[in-house]
Amino acid sequence: MRKWYEEAGNEDDIIVVSRIRLLRNLRSHLFPARLSTEEKKKLNQSIFKALEILPARFDQPFESCTLDEFSDTHKMALKERHVINQSALESDSSIGVVLSSDESISVTTNANDHIRILVSKSGLDLESAWKDANQLDDTLNESFEYAFDEKLGYMTAFPTNLGTGMRAYLVLHLPLLSSSRQFRVLMGGISRYGLAMKGAFGEGNDNPGSLFVLYNQKTLGVSEEDIIQILTKVAGQLASQERSVRSQSVKAHRNEIEDCIYRSYGILKYARSISFKDAMNYLSQLRWGIEMNILPVEETIPCYQLMLGVQPANLQVTYDRPMDQKELDRARASYLRKFLPDLE
């Protein structure tokens, strides 16, 4: 089955990914930090049992497992693909994972909270992601009573997640807007909407790939629909500004931009060794060059899929062997050559 990140999405020239994350805890249990290993294992099995209905409800296979079934490299690869988060990666062996075949839906158990639901979609599709997350949430609530307070909402391990327990995320590709002088001011102004934005792979100038995550900071005193609405509105404004800067740049400097895009393609296509940072930055150039019809390709190159694939742990999983840094750089170049088509 194709993975969700291999599919095209609405407005995916700028808005690359939509995600909804829900945190839930059970009234009948202490928070995971205070549960014994044996209690966590029993809870995993109870949740796995309740979710056996998912294949029928979502029309695709699901797999249930615990992270101790994976090597450290495989666990890191799951984190790189956003199936699990850092907390699950660093926790003990009692972490459970239920994952759909296309990796668009995952449930992590016994990390900071009893249940972490994550739904990912390509492009701008928060409404669909919320629909799936809500359906999954209802499925679990049929079997378990959640820890819920009339004033504070869903009880979570960290107070910053109280209320809806929901974070909505949009990953935006902003290569030109982020290089402008007013970008820092623009990022600061987003906070008045109750939102924040950070680099997807780093901070400041050290964010290879020019991908940025826009997300809600407030979870208390707002509804899920409110969060989705304001996030969609602000993302639309950012996307509009990025498209405008791209168009102006191409009009004013087409020859220089064509040269830059073709150089990026040439390095990605023919390099025999390439670092992660360079691969991400050249893929970023390639991505917007294709979207602006500067680089003629018959089929869209899956740049975001490649950005996930060139990360260290995923490369080692792909080639099924551990690698040092030099081997990773060579394997990354080989991986990219296989995916990039020849130009006419």
Side-chain angles (χ1 to χ4, degrees):
M1 175 177 282
R2 287 169 62 89
K3 304 302 184 186
W4 68 266
Y5 45 78
E6 298 177 52
E7 305 291 343
N10 298 323
E11 299 193 41
D12 62 0
D13 60 322
I14 309 292
I15 303 174
V16 185
V17 179
S18 297
R19 289 195 177 96
I20 296 289
R21 186 219 66 190
L22 299 178
L23 299 178
R24 299 290 186 259
N25 288 282
L26 309 186
R27 188 177 295 277
S28 57
H29 289 68
L30 298 172
F31 282 123
R34 299 184 63 187
L35 291 178
S36 68
T37 299
E38 190 60 34
E39 287 173 323
K40 289 180 181 180
K41 289 181 179 179
K42 289 181 179 179
L43 182 54
N44 281 340
Q45 293 306 312
S46 297
I47 294 174
F48 290 172
K49 182 69 175 177
L51 294 179
E52 287 179 354
I53 196 173
L54 291 187
R57 292 198 172 178
F58 289 95
D59 195 28
Q60 64 169 306
F62 280 74
E63 181 179 358
S64 302
C65 56
T66 53
L67 286 187
D68 59 4
E69 299 176 39
F70 295 91
S71 67
D72 289 343
T73 301
H74 276 79
K75 285 186 282 191
M76 178 58 74
L78 289 174
K79 181 188 176 291
E80 290 175 352
R81 299 200 304 277
H82 303 281
V83 172
I84 62 173
N85 61 6
Q86 187 67 29
S87 176
L89 185 69
E90 294 175 351
S91 297
D92 60 30
S93 61
S94 303
I95 303 295
V97 177
V98 179
L99 182 62
S100 64
S101 289
D102 68 355
E103 296 190 1
S104 66
I105 300 172
S106 66
V107 179
T108 305
T109 62
N110 287 319
N112 291 324
D113 297 271
H114 293 137
I115 297 167
R116 175 181 181 266
I117 296 169
L118 185 70
V119 178
S120 302
K121 302 283 185 179
S122 289
L124 179 58
D125 204 2
L126 283 177
E127 292 285 355
S128 177
W130 164 237
K131 180 181 177 182
D132 285 353
N134 194 33
Q135 183 178 357
L136 182 47
D137 188 32
D138 289 344
T139 298
L140 283 163
N141 206 188
E142 290 170 6
S143 299
F144 304 101
E145 183 182 2
Y146 289 147
F148 184 84
D149 181 85
E150 290 297 328
K151 291 184 178 180
L152 298 176
Y154 291 101
M155 307 302 291
T156 55
F158 294 99
T160 51
N161 293 314
L162 286 171
T164 60
M166 183 178 102
R167 299 271 182 209
Y169 304 91
L170 289 173
V171 179
L172 289 80
H173 185 219
L174 305 172
L176 297 194
L177 192 61
S178 64
S179 63
S180 65
R181 292 180 179 179
Q182 70 269 25
F183 188 64
R184 284 189 176 275
V185 176
L186 188 151
M187 287 184 69
I190 287 172
S191 62
R192 70 177 183 269
Y193 297 104
L195 307 179
M197 189 158 65
K198 63 181 180 180
F201 294 97
E203 296 297 337
N205 294 326
D206 189 22
N207 178 36
S210 299
L211 295 177
F212 294 84
V213 184
L214 181 69
Y215 61 98
N216 62 298
Q217 289 184 304
K218 290 182 64 177
T219 60
L220 183 62
V222 291
S223 69
E224 294 87 353
E225 290 76 13
D226 290 339
I227 292 170
I228 291 170
Q229 184 178 30
I230 190 61
L231 202 65
T232 301
K233 178 181 178 181
V234 173
Q237 293 172 348
L238 291 169
S240 179
Q241 292 183 55
E242 172 69 25
R243 292 186 186 107
S244 177
V245 176
R246 290 185 188 185
S247 295
Q248 293 172 18
S249 298
V250 171
K251 280 184 180 180
H253 308 287
R254 187 173 184 90
N255 289 337
E256 294 91 333
I257 289 172
E258 280 187 350
D259 182 65
C260 182
I261 300 301
Y262 274 87
R263 284 174 183 267
S264 296
Y265 166 82
I267 292 172
L268 291 169
K269 178 63 178 175
Y270 298 108
R272 264 40 189 176
S273 178
I274 189 168
S275 69
F276 170 71
K277 183 175 181 179
D278 284 347
M280 293 292 288
N281 286 330
Y282 290 134
L283 283 168
S284 173
Q285 294 278 2
L286 192 66
R287 192 177 196 280
W288 83 267
I290 292 170
E291 295 295 345
M292 295 299 293
N293 296 315
I294 293 173
L295 198 71
V297 291
E298 292 185 2
E299 296 183 8
T300 301
I301 297 172
C303 291
Y304 184 67
Q305 178 185 349
L306 296 181
M307 287 178 169
L308 296 178
V310 299
Q311 295 183 73
N314 274 281
L315 278 175
Q316 292 177 82
V317 170
T318 297
Y319 289 94
D320 196 25
R321 61 186 177 89
M323 303 180 192
D324 61 25
Q325 191 58 58
K326 288 185 178 180
E327 290 175 310
L328 279 171
D329 290 348
R330 289 194 294 268
R332 187 175 292 112
S334 175
Y335 174 83
L336 288 166
R337 290 198 304 272
K338 291 178 181 178
F339 274 91
L340 293 180
D342 295 323
L343 298 182
E344 294 183 359

